[in-house]
Amino acid sequence: MSIAPMQRVVLCGMAHERDRVLSALQELGCLHLIPLKASQPLEPETDPRRRRATAAYKHLTSAPVQRRPWPARRQIDIDATVDAALANKERLRVAGDRRDLLRERIDALAVFGDFELPPEPALRGRKLWFYILPVRERRALDSLTVPWAVVGRDNTRLFLAVVSVDEPPADLLPVARVHTGSRQLSHLREDLQEVEIEIEVAEEEHAELTRSRLALGIRLADAEDADARVAAQDVTLHDDRVFAVSGWAPADRAEELRAMAEERGLALTLEPAGSGDEPPTLLENPERFAGAGALTSFYTTPPYGAWDPSLVVLVSFALFFAMILADAGYALVLLAFVFLYRRRIGASVSGKRLLAVLWAVLGTAAGYGVLAGSYFGFAPPAGGVLAAVAFIDIEDFDTMMTVSIIIGVVHVSVANLEVAIRSRVPSERQTRFAWVATAWGGLVFWLGAPTFGAVLLGCGLLTIFVSGALGRPVTRPMDWLLRLMDGGLALTRLSTLFGDVLSYMRLFALGLASASLATTFNGLARDIAEGLPGVGLFLAILVLILGHAINLLLGIVSGVLHGLRLNFIEFFGWALSGEGYPFRAFARKERPKWTD
């Protein structure tokens, strides 16, 4: 894993060839364009037809049921498809809103029973207004000046009907009135059945319309490609005779550019990136590890000339997530979920990369859970294979805290060593090695070897002080004092190192919390089952399901947030200085594909 070396590309040709050359470059998909002139003012927003087509495509691809799509070569009336998809979307929205309203009205009216309101003349212009009043608020009825009656009750509530010409004021009772509408409960239920049928018909139509999603997606991709070519024309230099286009390209794609230039009779120059250049950053990872690069880019883009920490981030994130989840049962549940939805997740290139990351992270979590001997908070039976391989004791405070600190020192050391090895500045290299010595010196001192630890720690701090002080040239006596101040300032990062290493203790704390919660829910369920014969078994199962679901959710959130935080804050704070910008290839959009 590395950052791809870049070359500056300049292509020149005849003006009438510009559009065809841009199309060929877009087909190659290896050039990050550099504007050769100021961009024109922003164009108006995408035309309404494009917006409608995009909305229709999103509606089709979000359908719960996806039919086998028509082949891409089949001729389809795109406008008719868009109109039908948007009409279906609106139909589902309106019917869904009406269903929600009917359910709300039915729930509100059901407690009052199935009755029909009397005609208005029978009440002499008055109307009925309904309230649900808690029994504890019964005294509020004593102050009412309008007719009222209790038409029903249960253990905790009174169901009231108030008679009034106009809507009563909001403070008539300590509760808001119930909006029941004027229709009878049985009629509302009939209306709900009709709406449910209408929604089922619309959903079937929605599923059938998905047969056109492939053709519509390809048409939209073609339109986006055309927009990209127009934007590329805007940043090229051209006059009536010649044009020029410039950009950055990966060095390993140079031969493809040369071949295209020779084939089309174009002038081409290729120059490696110089020390003063700021090329874009392209993380060059094998396809099976491409998701690790996406994980790194989620937070920042390493500057060009730095190193690619993607593999370290993936490995450490998988380990951190596993230590925080700390249970093989939870990991197997997540693995089963990913397995069931693997085709949907891996339907696109980015999805395939995400799938690889999920397999790696959850596989590590399952392995760690087996070594910790925890399966939904239960230990494996003694004497079995699972019990034999379980050697990690999450509840061993001293050991787990020590392991967490060691992981922190290793993680921070890897960051400093990578920077030291790649640095061409001697003082920077020495300082980075000195920080590694300082971190390990403090660790060895804490682990019980004070003599060796103190020597290592002292050598590291002395080297940091000297490197910081020698960075300032001496041209006057005052510079000696400034050198001492520079050395002292260099040592101030010691507190950062100390805080960063201690931050890894969250691995131990969160893993212990997850294991403790699982054990607590198991114990609670066991006590309920033993204390309440019969119904207790049902309640115990309910406690187990809800309790472990909550704990699993907390483990996922904690594992992702804190696993990424230790990489993006603590690790990147030592591994990367500055920020780059990502390589954006001028390329054709990914075409939607259909797979079984």
Side-chain angles (χ1 to χ4, degrees):
M1 292 186 173
S2 60
I3 294 177
M6 290 288 163
Q7 290 194 332
R8 185 188 294 272
V9 179
V10 178
L11 275 167
C12 297
M14 304 304 294
H16 66 274
E17 291 283 332
R18 184 188 64 173
D19 293 346
R20 279 182 286 185
V21 170
L22 289 176
S23 295
L25 287 173
Q26 190 179 44
E27 196 68 37
L28 278 180
C30 66
L31 194 64
H32 179 105
L33 294 176
I34 300 174
L36 294 178
K37 64 177 182 179
S39 299
Q40 298 297 318
L42 292 175
E43 294 292 330
E45 289 187 7
T46 307
D47 64 273
R49 290 186 60 191
R50 176 77 62 77
R51 290 199 300 270
R52 283 170 52 83
T54 302
Y57 181 68
K58 290 180 179 179
H59 180 60
L60 297 183
T61 54
S62 64
V65 178
Q66 300 279 327
R67 303 284 193 220
R68 184 186 299 268
W70 300 118
R73 64 179 180 275
R74 181 187 176 96
Q75 294 298 318
I76 294 176
D77 188 339
I78 296 297
D79 292 335
T81 299
V82 170
D83 292 340
L86 294 181
N88 177 263
K89 179 181 179 182
E90 181 65 13
R91 184 179 174 187
L92 283 170
R93 185 192 66 80
V94 172
D97 290 345
R98 179 161 172 73
R99 177 180 59 185
D100 294 341
L101 178 60
L102 286 170
R103 286 176 175 174
E104 181 181 343
R105 288 288 171 84
I106 290 172
D107 291 341
L109 195 56
V111 295
F112 294 95
D114 188 7
F115 65 91
E116 185 176 359
L117 291 173
E120 290 190 12
L123 294 176
R124 297 181 181 180
R126 293 175 175 82
K127 298 178 181 179
L128 294 176
W129 311 91
F130 297 94
Y131 294 84
I132 298 177
L133 184 70
V135 172
R136 65 177 182 274
E137 302 288 349
R138 173 68 176 76
R139 291 184 178 181
L141 299 176
D142 298 337
S143 60
L144 291 183
T145 59
V146 293
W148 59 272
V150 176
V151 298
R153 67 174 64 222
D154 61 17
N155 293 334
T156 60
R157 299 175 298 173
L158 300 175
F159 308 126
L160 305 176
V162 174
V163 181
S164 175
V165 176
D166 300 317
E167 181 177 358
D171 59 352
L172 178 70
L173 288 170
V175 293
R177 76 175 182 88
V178 178
H179 295 270
T180 59
S182 59
R183 290 181 60 80
Q184 191 174 341
L185 179 60
S186 58
H187 295 168
L188 290 176
R189 286 172 172 160
E190 291 175 0
D191 293 343
L192 179 60
Q193 289 180 5
E194 292 180 1
V195 171
E196 294 282 9
I197 292 173
E198 182 181 348
I199 290 176
E200 289 178 1
V201 172
E203 288 175 343
E204 291 175 2
E205 179 188 41
H206 191 191
E208 186 62 27
L209 285 170
T210 60
R211 295 191 188 279
S212 302
R213 69 186 184 277
L214 181 60
L216 182 56
I218 291 174
R219 184 72 61 88
L220 282 172
D222 290 339
E224 291 181 10
D225 288 342
D227 288 346
R229 288 192 296 272
V230 171
Q233 293 172 8
D234 189 43
V235 297
T236 60
L237 278 179
H238 62 91
D239 57 21
D240 295 337
R241 295 175 298 173
V242 297
F243 79 94
V245 60
S246 179
W248 292 103
D252 59 0
R253 303 292 298 274
E255 290 304 320
E256 297 177 56
L257 289 167
R258 285 195 182 94
M260 189 200 77
E262 292 178 2
E263 180 183 351
R264 297 180 177 274
L266 304 173
L268 171 68
T269 62
L270 292 168
E271 296 178 356
S275 57
D277 292 326
E278 295 182 359
T281 300
L282 175 62
L283 301 181
E284 204 170 40
N285 301 316
E287 185 57 34
R288 63 181 180 277
F289 294 123
L295 197 62
T296 298
S297 302
F298 174 79
Y299 180 76
T300 188
T301 299
Y304 184 82
W307 66 292
D308 180 7
S310 299
L311 182 58
V312 177
V313 170
L314 176 61
V315 172
S316 57
F317 174 70
L319 176 61
F320 299 161
F321 184 88
M323 293 182 67
I324 293 172
L325 194 64
D327 192 279
Y330 293 160
L332 291 174
V333 168
L334 296 177
L335 280 170
F337 179 83
V338 172
F339 179 79
L340 290 175
Y341 290 92
R342 66 191 185 281
R343 291 184 178 177
R344 181 173 296 184
I345 297 173
S348 63
V349 173
S350 57
K352 290 178 181 177
R353 294 173 179 176
L354 173 62
L355 194 60
V357 171
L358 290 175
W359 288 129
V361 172
L362 297 180
T364 303
Y368 182 86
V370 171
L371 297 180
S374 178
Y375 302 84
F376 299 105
F378 293 102
V385 176
L386 294 178
V389 299
F391 67 89
I392 298 176
D393 185 2
I394 298 175
E395 296 184 356
D396 185 348
F397 287 21
D398 293 338
T399 301
M400 293 305 298
M401 185 170 60
T402 301
V403 170
S404 299
I405 296 296
I406 292 175
I407 289 174
V409 171
V410 171
H411 208 213
V412 171
S413 298
V414 169
N416 281 287
L417 287 173
E418 281 286 351
V419 175
I421 292 171
R422 296 171 184 275
S423 178
R424 298 179 180 179
V425 181
S427 59
E428 172 73 9
R429 192 181 306 119
Q430 293 169 5
T431 301
R432 292 291 183 159
F433 281 127
W435 280 120
V436 174
T438 301
W440 283 96
L443 176 65
V444 171
F445 187 93
W446 178 62
L447 290 178
T451 303
F452 179 68
V455 171
L456 198 58
L457 182 63
C459 292
L461 293 177
L462 180 62
T463 303
I464 294 168
F465 177 84
V466 172
S467 297
L470 294 180
R472 179 185 294 272
V474 177
T475 57
R476 51 181 181 150
M478 186 63 181
D479 290 335
W480 289 102
L481 178 60
L482 294 177
R483 272 192 167 188
L484 295 176
M485 294 177 62
D486 290 342
L489 289 174
L491 292 176
T492 58
R493 207 177 180 190
L494 179 62
S495 62
T496 302
L497 176 66
F498 182 74
D500 287 347
V501 171
L502 289 184
S503 187
Y504 288 79
M505 289 180 63
R506 70 186 68 229
L507 298 173
F508 148 69
L510 292 170
L512 178 62
S514 178
S516 299
L517 274 177
T519 304
T520 300
F521 285 125
N522 293 338
L524 182 60
R526 181 178 59 253
D527 293 342
I528 292 175
E530 294 174 353
L532 298 173
V535 70
L537 179 60
F538 170 76
L539 295 177
I541 294 174
L542 189 62
V543 168
L544 284 175
I545 293 174
L546 293 179
H548 284 294
I550 293 172
N551 197 26
L552 175 58
L553 179 61
L554 291 175
I556 294 172
V557 173
S558 300
V560 172
L561 290 181
H562 293 283
L564 292 177
R565 179 242 156 83
L566 290 172
N567 278 289
F568 294 160
I569 305 300
E570 279 76 12
F571 180 70
F572 278 7
W574 295 94
L576 300 173
S577 58
E579 184 175 358
Y581 63 100
F583 179 87
R584 304 290 187 195
F586 173 54
R588 289 169 62 87
K589 300 296 180 182
E590 181 184 354
R591 262 51 183 169
K593 297 180 178 64
W594 172 75
T595 56
D596 286 321

